[in-house]
C-alpha cells in the first residue's frame, strides 16, 4: 500500500480574517499499487485550519524606591532703608534742613548673600497729608518733572541715590514722601541687574494762571527730606511772574508773628520767644508768691 500526496491545483492556502487564521487544503491518495489505481484505492481531501490567537499576558509589579532627599535653605530677604544725607552719599544724616540745601536721597538694601538680588525704586510721591499728591517717579522708575527730581542713579545692584535741593509745601507744616522698592532675584549667570532706561524728564506744562499756581504750590510741597534738582543758571526766566511780590504788596508783621507760629497741632517759637515767655512766667510766679506771703501775714496777724 502506498500513500502519497498528489500536488494539484486544488492544494491551496487561504488567509481568513474572521476568525483570523490560516486555512490549508491538500489531497491525499491511498493506493495499493504505486503504478495502478484499483477500486479499493481512496482519495482524501484534507483541510486544516490554524486559528491565530492573541493572548495578552499581563503582570502588575510595583517598584518602589527611596524618596529623593529634600534639601531646604531659607534665604533671608534684604533689609532696605531710606536715608537723606548732607550733600553726598557719604555725608551725615540730615534731620533738619533749610529750603535750598543740597541733600542726597539714598536707598540701600543689605543682603546676606552677594550677587543675588536686584532692586528698583519707583512710584515716588509727595503728599501734604490732605490728599494733595504730586508724582515724582512713575511706576517704571522714571522722573516726571526735572525741576522736582531727576532720574535716579543706580550705583550698584542694591543702592540707588540722587542729589537734589530741599523744598517744602508753601502752606503746610508737614509733608510725606513715599517710594516703593521692588526686589527681584538675579538670573543665574547674569552679571548686572536691569535698571530703568529713562529719557530726560520733561518740565510740567502750565496752561493757565490757576494751573500755574496749583502746580507750583504742588512742586513746593514735600518732606524735609524731599528735594528739587539743582536749577540751571540759564533758566531763571521760567519763574512765573505772578510769584513776584511788589514792595507795596508787603505788610510788616507784628512782633508776636515774628517769634511765635501757632498751628492746629504745634506751637513753634524762636529762641527770643522762648526767653520772653520764660521771663513772663518767672515774673508772674514771683508776683503770685509775694501776694500769697502778704495774705498769709495778714491772716496770721488777725488770729
Amino acid at each position: 500500500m502506498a500513500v502519497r500526496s498528489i500536488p494539484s491545483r486544488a492544494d491551496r492556502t487561504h488567509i481568513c480574517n474572521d476568525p483570523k487564521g490560516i486555512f490549508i487544503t491538500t489531497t491525499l491518495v491511498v493506493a495499493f499499487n504505486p503504478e495502478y489505481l484499483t477500486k479499493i484505492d481512496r482519495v482524501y481531501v484534507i483541510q486544516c485550519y490554524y486559528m491565530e490567537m492573541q493572548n495578552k499576558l499581563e503582570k502588575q509589579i510595583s517598584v518602589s524606591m527611596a524618596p529623593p532627599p529634600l534639601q531646604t535653605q531659607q534665604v533671608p530677604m534684604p533689609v532696605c532703608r531710606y536715608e537723606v544725607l548732607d550733600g553726598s552719599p557719604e555725608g551725615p544724616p540730615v534731620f533738619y534742613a533749610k529750603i535750598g540745601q543740597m541733600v542726597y536721597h539714598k536707598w540701600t538694601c543689605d543682603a546676606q548673600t552677594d550677587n543675588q538680588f536686584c532692586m528698583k525704586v519707583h512710584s515716588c510721591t509727595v503728599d501734604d497729608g490732605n490728599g494733595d499728591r504730586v508724582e515724582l517717579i512713575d511706576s517704571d522708575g522714571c522722573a516726571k518733572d526735572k525741576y522736582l527730581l531727576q532720574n535716579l542713579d543706580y550705583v550698584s545692584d542694591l543702592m540707588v541715590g540722587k542729589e537734589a535741593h530741599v523744598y517744602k509745601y508753601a502752606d503746610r507744616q508737614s509733608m510725606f514722601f513715599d517710594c516703593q522698592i521692588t526686589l527681584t532675584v538675579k538670573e543665574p549667570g547674569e552679571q548686572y541687574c536691569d535698571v530703568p532706561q529713562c529719557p530726560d524728564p520733561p518740565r510740567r506744562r502750565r496752561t493757565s494762571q490757576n494751573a500755574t499756581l496749583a502746580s507750583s504750590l504742588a512742586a513746593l510741597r514735600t518732606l524735609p527730606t524731599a528735594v528739587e534738582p539743582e536749577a540751571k543758571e540759564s533758566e531763571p526766566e521760567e519763574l512765573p511772574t505772578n510769584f513776584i511780590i511788589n514792595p507795596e504788596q508787603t505788610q510788616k508783621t507784628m512782633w508776636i508773628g515774628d517769634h511765635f507760629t501757632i498751628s492746629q497741632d504745634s506751637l513753634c517759637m524762636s529762641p527770643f520767644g522762648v526767653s520772653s515767655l520764660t521771663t513772663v512766667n518767672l515774673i508772674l510766679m514771683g508776683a503770685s508768691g509775694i501776694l500769697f506771703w502778704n495774705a498769709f501775714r495778714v491772716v496770721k496777724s488777725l488770729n
Side-chain angles (χ1 to χ4, degrees), residues 243-257:
F243 283 99
I244 301 177
I245 301 176
N246 298 324
E248 59 271 11
Q249 294 177 327
T250 61
Q251 183 179 0
K252 183 175 178 58
T253 59
M254 300 178 63
W255 176 87
I256 190 171

Side-chain angles (χ1 to χ4, degrees), residues 83-100:
E83 300 174 287
V84 179
L85 307 178
D86 188 9
S88 66
E90 292 77 22
V94 175
F95 298 99
Y96 300 96
K98 297 180 180 179
I99 295 179

Side-chain angles (χ1 to χ4, degrees), residues 137-167:
I137 305 294
D138 61 13
S139 58
D140 296 328
C142 299
K144 299 291 292 183
D145 193 327
K146 64 180 180 180
Y147 291 119
L148 299 180
L149 186 63
Q150 291 283 353
N151 290 323
L152 303 180
D153 297 330
Y154 284 77
V155 182
S156 64
D157 292 346
L158 297 178
M159 178 180 173
V160 181
K162 191 64 179 181
E163 68 279 352
H165 291 286
V166 172
Y167 57 93

Side-chain angles (χ1 to χ4, degrees), residues 43-270:
V43 177
Y44 298 95
V45 178
I46 301 175
Q47 295 179 343
C48 298
Y49 177 71
Y50 299 93
M51 184 173 60
E52 180 180 349
M53 301 185 65
Q54 295 181 352
N55 293 327
K56 294 183 179 179
L57 304 179
E58 298 180 355
K59 176 63 177 178
Q60 184 176 1
I61 182 172
S62 299
V63 179
S64 62
M65 59 180 297
L70 180 62
Q71 297 182 356
T72 60
Q73 181 181 1
Q74 184 176 3
V75 179
M77 291 296 293
V79 179
C80 300
R81 64 181 184 274
Y82 168 65
E83 300 174 287
V84 179
L85 307 178
D86 188 9
S88 66
E90 292 77 22
V94 175
F95 298 99
Y96 300 96
K98 297 180 180 179
I99 295 179
Q101 179 180 347
M102 175 66 73
V103 295
Y104 186 84
H105 294 271
K106 183 178 180 181
W107 294 267
T108 309
C109 293
D110 298 327
Q112 297 183 7
T113 54
D114 297 333
N115 200 29
Q116 187 172 3
F117 293 95
C118 298
M119 69 177 296
K120 182 178 77 170
V121 179
H122 62 94
S123 303
C124 295
T125 59
V126 61
D127 191 355
D128 67 344
N130 294 323
D132 191 356
R133 177 173 297 181
V134 178
E135 185 180 31
L136 302 181
I137 305 294
D138 61 13
S139 58
D140 296 328
C142 299
K144 299 291 292 183
D145 193 327
K146 64 180 180 180
Y147 291 119
L148 299 180
L149 186 63
Q150 291 283 353
N151 290 323
L152 303 180
D153 297 330
Y154 284 77
V155 182
S156 64
D157 292 346
L158 297 178
M159 178 180 173
V160 181
K162 191 64 179 181
E163 68 279 352
H165 291 286
V166 172
Y167 57 93
K168 70 179 295 294
Y169 278 93
D171 54 350
R172 295 290 187 271
Q173 293 295 328
S174 60
M175 53 192 149
F176 304 91
F177 185 61
D178 180 43
C179 283
Q180 297 183 21
I181 299 177
T182 298
L183 293 173
T184 57
V185 178
K186 184 182 292 187
E187 295 295 333
E190 185 178 357
Q191 185 177 3
Y192 301 103
C193 295
D194 293 334
V195 300
Q197 302 296 327
C198 302
D200 292 335
R203 179 176 181 268
R204 292 183 185 271
R205 299 297 180 184
R206 298 170 173 85
T207 57
S208 65
Q209 184 175 0
N210 293 333
T212 302
L213 179 59
S215 59
S216 300
L217 289 177
L220 292 173
R221 297 168 184 171
T222 182
L223 289 174
T225 58
V227 299
E228 68 175 358
E230 183 177 2
K232 298 181 180 179
E233 295 181 357
S234 59
E235 299 178 349
E237 66 277 6
E238 295 187 2
L239 182 66
T241 56
N242 59 320
F243 283 99
I244 301 177
I245 301 176
N246 298 324
E248 59 271 11
Q249 294 177 327
T250 61
Q251 183 179 0
K252 183 175 178 58
T253 59
M254 300 178 63
W255 176 87
I256 190 171
D258 293 335
H259 300 284
F260 295 89
T261 301
I262 302 175
S263 61
Q264 295 180 355
D265 55 353
S266 62
L267 173 63
C268 299
M269 294 183 292
S270 66

